[in-house]
Amino acid sequence: MEEVISVDGLEKNFKTYESQSGKGIFLASLRRKYYTKKALRKVSFKVKKGEMVMLLGENGSGKSTLIKILTGIVHPDGGDAKVLGMTPWENRIKLAWNYGMVSGAHNQLFWNLPAIDTFEYIRGLYEIKQEDFDERLSYFINILNLEDVYRKQIRTLSLGERMKCNFVASVLHLPKVVFMDEATIGMDLSSVISLRQALLDMQKRHGTTFFMTTHIVDEIKALAEHVIIIDKGSIVFDGSKKELQRFFGKKKYLEVHFKNKIGKGEYPLGGKIVDQNDTYLKIEIDAARLKNKRTVALLNSENVFDYNVSEADIGHVLARFYGMRRKRR
């Protein structure tokens, strides 16, 4: 399958300083201790056409820096990157015709004008034919429920409505790849759901590639196909969401519903009790223990009304993953 993004050994350093205030140094505010922060450390990965990629990592891990390099805003200090076959920082203008950028922190809408005016401006900027523009605008208005929104002044809209309009402005030219940096932060649930539907529909209809950063677990569950985790500027995981879950795959969740009350602390089965009440028990347990005699006997006992075995939730997997990384530092 065609590669849309190819990154090989990217490096980026920033010169910054640390205040000497509070250390008993004369004129401390004028004396600065400079040091080099390594934002990216030999980052390498590939993204195929039509993939829905989630770039995950804690704050300060290098996510936004990476996106700025891939969109040509920032030059790297080493390594190479290709987006749609172009080097971003060398072909920024040409590349801009083929990608979209949606950021939760910034938008391209005119505050005192209705969204339709920005859309018309985008039509002229990207030289979109009127009939194509009308068709695309109708499509996005319908799928994002913007019929009663896009003709109102941007300053009168809710955050969710503004973000959906900002998304439309970013993709009216039908880019081949869309970068989204915390694009749904602060949005209400109905707006988030309609935006997710738009992403999935664009992926299906046009083969659009989405490269996103997020901290929202539900977003990862709903959209992620390819997960990349970056920590302190280095790629520490690159694979599918299922592969990430299998990284901790020995752990399963066993939920048991009982007919009669059980005592607190009963039936540990060698696992960790996650939740329990009078007639319910949830245990984190090694997959191998599900087949031992003690577990089988419990599940076949007359007091068991129903039970369910499930994989580790992606939120728990990520929390454990980050916890392991902190311990190694």
Side-chain angles (χ1 to χ4, degrees):
M1 191 179 290
E2 178 186 347
E3 285 181 3
V4 172
I5 301 173
S6 177
V7 174
D8 184 19
L10 271 189
E11 294 183 288
K12 182 62 184 177
N13 302 319
F14 292 104
K15 185 179 180 181
T16 186
Y17 70 90
E18 184 179 87
S19 172
Q20 299 298 295
S21 296
K23 296 184 178 181
I25 299 175
F26 179 65
L27 294 178
S29 61
L30 301 178
R31 296 169 181 259
R32 296 177 174 180
K33 180 182 179 182
Y34 286 92
Y35 65 95
T36 299
K37 178 182 178 181
K38 293 185 177 294
L40 296 177
R41 305 167 184 260
K42 295 191 178 298
V43 169
S44 300
F45 62 87
K46 298 183 186 300
V47 175
K48 296 179 181 178
K49 180 180 178 181
E51 278 193 309
M52 195 82 72
V53 182
M54 287 289 183
L55 177 64
L56 308 178
E58 298 178 306
N59 291 336
S61 59
K63 302 188 301 297
S64 294
T65 298
L66 179 56
I67 285 184
K68 288 174 182 176
I69 290 177
L70 294 179
T71 52
I73 298 172
V74 170
H75 288 221
D77 294 320
D80 189 30
K82 291 286 189 294
V83 178
L84 299 170
M86 293 175 269
T87 302
W89 52 94
E90 293 177 357
N91 306 97
R92 185 178 176 186
I93 295 177
K94 185 178 180 180
L95 183 61
W97 285 76
N98 294 283
Y99 78 76
M101 178 67 201
V102 189
S103 172
H106 307 282
N107 71 69
Q108 54 185 314
L109 304 169
F110 295 100
W111 187 246
N112 290 312
L113 298 176
I116 183 62
D117 287 0
T118 300
F119 299 159
E120 288 286 358
Y121 170 75
I122 296 293
R123 182 186 67 79
L125 184 66
Y126 284 96
E127 301 176 358
I128 305 171
K129 293 180 181 178
Q130 187 66 53
E131 60 181 303
D132 291 336
F133 172 79
D134 292 340
E135 181 182 343
R136 295 173 193 177
L137 185 58
S138 176
Y139 162 72
F140 286 118
I141 287 173
N142 179 61
I143 199 167
L144 290 170
N145 302 312
L146 294 173
E147 183 62 44
D148 299 325
V149 173
Y150 77 109
R151 294 188 181 279
K152 296 179 180 178
Q153 287 177 298
I154 292 302
R155 60 184 173 86
T156 67
L157 304 181
S158 69
L159 175 60
E161 291 168 341
R162 291 200 304 270
M163 287 309 302
K164 288 192 291 184
C165 288
N166 189 47
F167 174 78
V168 174
S170 300
V171 298
L172 267 173
H173 58 300
L174 290 186
K176 295 177 181 177
V177 58
V178 179
F179 296 96
M180 301 180 70
D181 192 9
E182 303 289 348
T184 61
I185 190 167
M187 288 177 64
D188 59 277
L189 182 59
S190 62
S191 295
V192 169
I193 291 173
S194 60
L195 183 57
R196 287 176 190 169
Q197 182 57 47
L199 301 185
L200 293 169
D201 200 64
M202 283 185 68
Q203 181 193 39
K204 183 177 179 180
R205 286 190 181 209
H206 306 290
T208 310
T209 303
F210 289 94
F211 191 85
M212 300 171 278
T213 72
T214 187
H215 289 288
I216 302 172
V217 171
D218 284 346
E219 212 158 83
I220 302 168
K221 291 180 185 177
L223 298 173
E225 298 170 337
H226 180 176
V227 175
I228 298 172
I229 301 179
I230 188 169
D231 183 56
K232 295 293 185 181
S234 299
I235 298 294
V236 293
F237 179 84
D238 181 4
S240 70
K241 182 170 59 178
K242 289 185 177 180
E243 286 174 331
L244 178 59
Q245 288 173 308
R246 283 199 293 269
F247 191 80
F248 299 95
K250 292 182 179 180
K251 296 293 183 183
K252 302 281 186 180
Y253 285 99
L254 173 63
E255 295 179 89
V256 187
H257 296 268
F258 298 90
K259 297 176 185 177
N260 304 309
K261 289 184 178 181
I262 59 171
K264 195 168 185 179
E266 287 185 33
Y267 309 115
L269 303 178
K272 176 185 176 183
I273 296 176
V274 177
D275 191 15
Q276 183 180 13
N277 60 37
D278 288 345
T279 58
Y280 172 77
L281 181 67
K282 183 175 182 179
I283 305 173
E284 183 185 79
I285 189 170
D286 287 341
R289 288 186 175 272
L290 290 171
K291 298 180 180 179
N292 69 25
K293 293 180 180 180
R294 191 176 177 187
T295 307
V296 173
L298 167 65
L299 299 180
N300 288 326
S301 68
E302 293 183 358
N303 193 28
V304 171
F305 175 73
D306 193 15
Y307 69 89
N308 178 62
V309 179
S310 60
E311 298 286 341
D313 179 86
I314 189 66
H316 290 97
V317 170
L318 288 172
R320 192 178 299 157
F321 190 96
Y322 292 142
M324 288 175 58
R325 296 293 303 176
R326 291 191 194 100
K327 288 179 181 179
R328 293 175 185 172
R329 290 175 190 168

